[in-house]
Amino acid sequence: MNTGPALVDQEVSDHDMLLFQRLFKRHIGLHLPVSKKALLQSRLGGRLQELGLREMSQYHALIVADDGAEERQRAIDLITTNETYFFREQSHFDFLAKELLPTLGSDKALRIWSAASSTGEEAYTLAMLLDHYRPVGNWSVFASDISTRVLSFARRGLYPMARGQNIPSSYLRRYCLRGTDAYEGHFLVEGALRRKVEFAQRNLTDLDAFDDGQFDLIFLRNVIIYFDFPTKIQVLNAVIKRLRPGGHLIVGHSESLHGMDLGLEMHSPSIYRKP
């Protein structure tokens, strides 16, 4: 009798952990400490079952093979996906609305980069604010992530209502459409706003492969904590290279650039300015 794929072995061995540590470090710069064995198992275990594999080493052999690029990207998608929500870390958006935008003439074109956009909430939050304060539309939001799966989700712009609990009511009415029938309990970011945000895949450890121009403001939040120190410096220098003089870099509240020689001035904790 066929009972389906065998259950995946529960224990991730030290050897298997080392294999995946090296793989993710090589391809996306991700530092996956040994303490994350349970995360590796929970994120990839379901995919192993789908493929009928019992051991992590079998899956590793599959994704490092010459023809394994598609499955390797799927593994990257699974291991890097993190849940976020609209208007996360509100003070950063207060800085944009109350401090930065009033100092810039409305005729100045403004480019903002959401450099680790995940499922798109940060990028659409930025777009809502910019459309509200600059309705003439002399602005653009570029959003990137390593995961093709979350980028597909972001482009769709359809979210569970819980993700939008911090969206101001006036913005909900203006920019979000309440789902009905099969989409009950969800909302859709309205089409005109979605079309103002460009989503693209970017690997923060390999930015030189693309010419995305210069930005006035870059959000690089809650991502450098996943890199070891040398990779943090590499990524930050590459990102800052794309920041215009006088532009600002914003990192997560739990992240710090202390002790890093990056040529930035601290405006306030987690907000830095390029002279």
Side-chain angles (χ1 to χ4, degrees), residues 66-131:
D66 291 342
D67 59 352
E70 184 175 342
E71 186 62 34
R72 184 167 61 246
Q73 179 60 53
R74 184 160 190 161
I76 289 170
D77 289 350
L78 290 170
I79 206 70
T80 58
T81 300
N82 293 293
E83 184 171 298
T84 184
Y85 49 89
F86 286 80
F87 287 88
R88 182 181 183 181
E89 300 184 341
Q90 177 68 46
S91 64
H92 293 153
F93 301 106
D94 290 341
F95 164 75
L96 173 62
K98 299 176 182 179
E99 293 190 51
L100 185 58
L101 289 179
T103 67
L104 303 174
S106 59
D107 58 335
K108 172 182 166 53
L110 182 64
R111 298 193 73 216
I112 298 182
W113 180 17
S114 172
S117 62
S118 188
T119 42
E121 290 90 335
E122 178 179 272
Y124 288 129
T125 297
L126 290 165
M128 290 178 189
L129 279 171
L130 290 166
D131 189 75

Side-chain angles (χ1 to χ4, degrees), residues 19-21 23-24 26-27 40 44 47-48 51 53 56-76 78-79:
L19 290 176
F20 282 94
Q21 280 180 324
L23 181 139
F24 290 123
R26 180 168 70 252
H27 286 281
L40 186 71
L44 301 185
R47 183 57 181 156
L48 266 70
L51 295 171
L53 304 176
M56 283 287 182
S57 58
Q58 294 174 302
Y59 187 61
H60 179 269
L62 176 67
I63 62 180
V64 298
D66 291 342
D67 59 352
E70 184 175 342
E71 186 62 34
R72 184 167 61 246
Q73 179 60 53
R74 184 160 190 161
I76 289 170
L78 290 170
I79 206 70

Side-chain angles (χ1 to χ4, degrees), residues 7-266:
L7 290 176
V8 180
D9 289 343
Q10 292 302 307
E11 278 295 318
V12 177
S13 69
D14 290 344
H15 176 68
D16 289 345
M17 191 66 193
L18 181 60
L19 290 176
F20 282 94
Q21 280 180 324
R22 289 173 175 170
L23 181 139
F24 290 123
K25 180 67 164 63
R26 180 168 70 252
H27 286 281
I28 59 173
L30 174 67
H31 174 60
L32 199 65
V34 175
S35 61
K36 296 295 185 180
K37 280 186 179 182
L39 174 69
L40 186 71
Q41 173 65 45
S42 65
R43 293 287 180 91
L44 301 185
R47 183 57 181 156
L48 266 70
Q49 284 191 299
E50 290 174 7
L51 295 171
L53 304 176
R54 279 192 65 88
E55 299 177 359
M56 283 287 182
S57 58
Q58 294 174 302
Y59 187 61
H60 179 269
L62 176 67
I63 62 180
V64 298
D66 291 342
D67 59 352
E70 184 175 342
E71 186 62 34
R72 184 167 61 246
Q73 179 60 53
R74 184 160 190 161
I76 289 170
D77 289 350
L78 290 170
I79 206 70
T80 58
T81 300
N82 293 293
E83 184 171 298
T84 184
Y85 49 89
F86 286 80
F87 287 88
R88 182 181 183 181
E89 300 184 341
Q90 177 68 46
S91 64
H92 293 153
F93 301 106
D94 290 341
F95 164 75
L96 173 62
K98 299 176 182 179
E99 293 190 51
L100 185 58
L101 289 179
T103 67
L104 303 174
S106 59
D107 58 335
K108 172 182 166 53
L110 182 64
R111 298 193 73 216
I112 298 182
W113 180 17
S114 172
S117 62
S118 188
T119 42
E121 290 90 335
E122 178 179 272
Y124 288 129
T125 297
L126 290 165
M128 290 178 189
L129 279 171
L130 290 166
D131 189 75
H132 177 79
Y133 287 98
R134 287 194 163 201
V136 294
N138 197 15
W139 54 268
S140 64
V141 175
F142 177 66
S144 67
D145 200 273
I146 187 65
S147 169
T148 54
R149 188 166 69 95
V150 298
L151 289 170
S152 178
F153 186 102
R155 292 187 184 101
R156 191 180 186 194
L158 180 68
Y159 299 95
M161 290 298 295
R163 298 271 189 98
Q165 60 184 352
N166 293 336
I167 301 176
S169 58
S170 61
Y171 286 16
L172 272 173
R173 292 191 297 270
R174 170 68 180 83
Y175 301 114
C176 305
L177 306 173
R178 183 182 294 273
T180 58
D181 299 328
Y183 298 105
E184 185 74 30
H186 292 73
F187 68 91
L188 179 70
V189 177
E190 60 100 17
L193 197 74
R194 292 202 311 274
R195 289 188 289 273
K196 292 182 178 180
V197 181
E198 177 189 357
F199 289 96
Q201 186 188 33
R202 294 291 183 269
N203 184 339
L204 293 174
T205 64
D206 190 26
L207 289 175
D208 288 340
F210 301 91
D211 181 9
D212 296 314
Q214 297 282 291
F215 298 90
D216 301 282
L217 177 64
I218 299 176
F219 275 60
L220 184 69
R221 304 191 305 170
N222 307 306
V223 62
I224 61 172
I225 54 173
Y226 297 108
F227 299 136
D228 60 20
F229 189 80
T231 308
K232 286 181 184 181
I233 297 297
Q234 175 195 342
V235 167
L236 284 163
N237 279 323
V239 168
I240 293 166
K241 182 180 176 182
R242 288 150 179 81
L243 188 63
R244 288 175 177 150
H248 290 80
L249 172 68
I250 297 182
V251 299
H253 284 313
S254 62
E255 298 170 312
S256 172
L257 306 188
H258 180 72
M260 302 182 190
D261 184 14
L262 300 169
L264 298 177
E265 302 169 346
M266 189 173 77

